């Protein structure tokens, strides 16, 4: 199983709402990533978790709050977002063994902030 | 700092023609290089990767890429384009101890009849 799943597929939220994105993988990968992708642009790294601990925060605004409750699950909690936060949010995972080179991506959550 | 540059934001080829997507890298250490494909409204799928060893790397869907250190290039090719190859293609280099990926700006491949 080389699949990373993300839910929901689409999300529309108001600027005062609180919502969460979910990412799950069962490949035993111990590194997990959140990316943000705007239209016609490459993905931009937001957060990296290694062994369920936050290892990289790319200066992301605090209205985005990541959480890694266990080795298979990664959440992104959203609060008081702005319309410019509308984007495709991608999750990825990677093995932390010596052979773990590539990242495996999920299908993404298309977020629209109104 | 490591980076990649993709030449050509849009490439159009006829079905059955050769596909050539260009990627040049900048790295002070031996790079790990990747090509990913993204179909509309989907995530990224790994096409192929270069780590060490053989410089000609074969990937999925008939794609291959050749690592040329002297030219700092990692161009993606496919001998015969198919309509299903129409997508966005990203070249990427691994950077840092957390294996961060630095992506190129992407090349949109259009395949015409």
């Amino acid at each position: 199983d080389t699949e990373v799943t993300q839910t929901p597929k689409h999300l529309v939220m108001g600027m005062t709402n609180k919502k969460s994105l979910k990412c799950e993988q069962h490949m035993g990968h111990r590194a997990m990533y959140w990316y943000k992708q705007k239209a016609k642009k490459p993905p931009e790294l937001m957060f990296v978790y290694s062994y369920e601990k936050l290892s990289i925060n790319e200066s992301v605004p605090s209205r985005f709050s990541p959480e890694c409750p266990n080795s298979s699950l990664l959440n992104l909690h959203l609060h008081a977002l702005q319309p410019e936060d509308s984007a495709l949010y991608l999750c990825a995972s990677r093995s932390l063994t010596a052979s773990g080179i590539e990242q495996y991506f999920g299908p993404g959550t298309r977020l629209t902030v109104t | 700092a490591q980076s990649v540059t993709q030449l050509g934001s849009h490439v159009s080829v006829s079905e059955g023609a050769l596909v050539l997507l260009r990627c040049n890298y900048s790295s002070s250490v031996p790079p790990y290089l990747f090509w990913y494909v993204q179909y509309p409204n989907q995530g990224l799928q790994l096409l192929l990767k270069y780590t060490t060893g053989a410089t000609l790397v074969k990937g999925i869907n008939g794609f291959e890429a050749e690592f040329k250190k002297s030219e700092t290039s990692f161009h993606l090719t496919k001998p015969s384009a198919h309509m299903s190859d129409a997508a966005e293609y990203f070249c990427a280099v691994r950077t840092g101890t957390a294996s961060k990926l630095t992506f190129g700006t992407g090349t949109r491949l259009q395949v015409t009849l």
Side-chain angles (χ1 to χ4, degrees):
Chain A
D1 181 9
T2 58
E3 190 178 25
V4 176
T5 59
Q6 290 187 244
T7 54
K9 190 174 177 63
H10 299 278
L11 179 62
V12 179
M13 61 184 291
M15 290 189 286
T16 59
N17 290 161
K18 286 184 179 181
K19 297 287 186 183
S20 297
L21 310 184
K22 178 180 172 181
C23 172
E24 198 162 8
Q25 56 87 17
H26 296 288
M27 295 179 278
H29 292 175
R30 302 302 294 277
M32 297 186 78
Y33 304 74
W34 279 116
Y35 290 84
K36 172 182 178 181
Q37 186 180 25
K38 302 284 279 185
K40 301 187 188 302
K41 297 290 187 182
E44 298 175 3
L45 183 65
M46 300 174 72
F47 303 103
V48 182
Y49 273 83
S50 297
Y51 297 107
E52 296 85 68
K53 291 190 185 334
L54 184 65
S55 59
I56 294 179
N57 176 341
E58 292 285 294
S59 302
V60 178
S62 60
R63 57 185 184 269
F64 294 91
S65 175
E67 178 196 21
C68 190
N70 61 57
S71 60
S72 300
L73 190 56
L74 184 67
N75 297 319
L76 186 62
H77 303 297
L78 314 171
H79 173 55
L81 294 193
Q82 303 297 309
E84 58 265 30
D85 296 322
S86 298
L88 181 68
Y89 287 84
L90 294 164
C91 173
S93 70
R94 182 178 70 91
S95 169
L96 287 177
T97 63
S99 61
I101 304 299
E102 65 267 34
Q103 293 181 25
Y104 293 86
F105 284 80
T109 293
R110 175 74 60 187
L111 174 67
T112 303
V113 182
T114 61
Chain B
Q2 291 158 300
S3 65
V4 289
T5 302
Q6 291 184 242
L7 301 175
S9 60
H10 182 256
V11 170
S12 182
V13 300
S14 300
E15 190 174 36
L18 172 71
V19 175
L20 171 61
L21 304 183
R22 300 177 187 273
C23 174
N24 288 90
Y25 70 89
S26 172
S27 177
S28 57
V29 297
Y32 286 2
L33 294 161
F34 308 84
W35 275 101
Y36 282 88
V37 61
Q38 186 174 33
Y39 298 100
N41 299 311
Q42 294 189 27
L44 277 69
Q45 181 181 13
L46 180 69
L47 280 176
L48 48 81
K49 66 184 179 188
Y50 171 78
T51 55
T52 58
T55 56
L56 183 62
V57 180
K58 294 188 184 298
I60 62 171
N61 302 339
F63 285 94
E64 62 183 36
E66 186 171 10
F67 173 72
K68 291 187 177 181
K69 185 177 179 180
S70 61
E71 298 178 9
T72 61
S73 68
F74 190 56
H75 301 332
L76 182 70
T77 60
K78 182 175 180 177
S80 177
H82 191 272
M83 296 296 288
S84 60
D85 295 325
E88 188 83 21
Y89 291 80
F90 292 100
C91 182
V93 62
R94 189 180 85 158
T95 60
T97 55
S99 286
K100 293 169 58 174
L101 286 177
T102 298
F103 289 92
T105 50
T107 298
R108 177 161 298 277
L109 176 65
Q110 180 182 16
V111 182
T112 60
L113 288 172

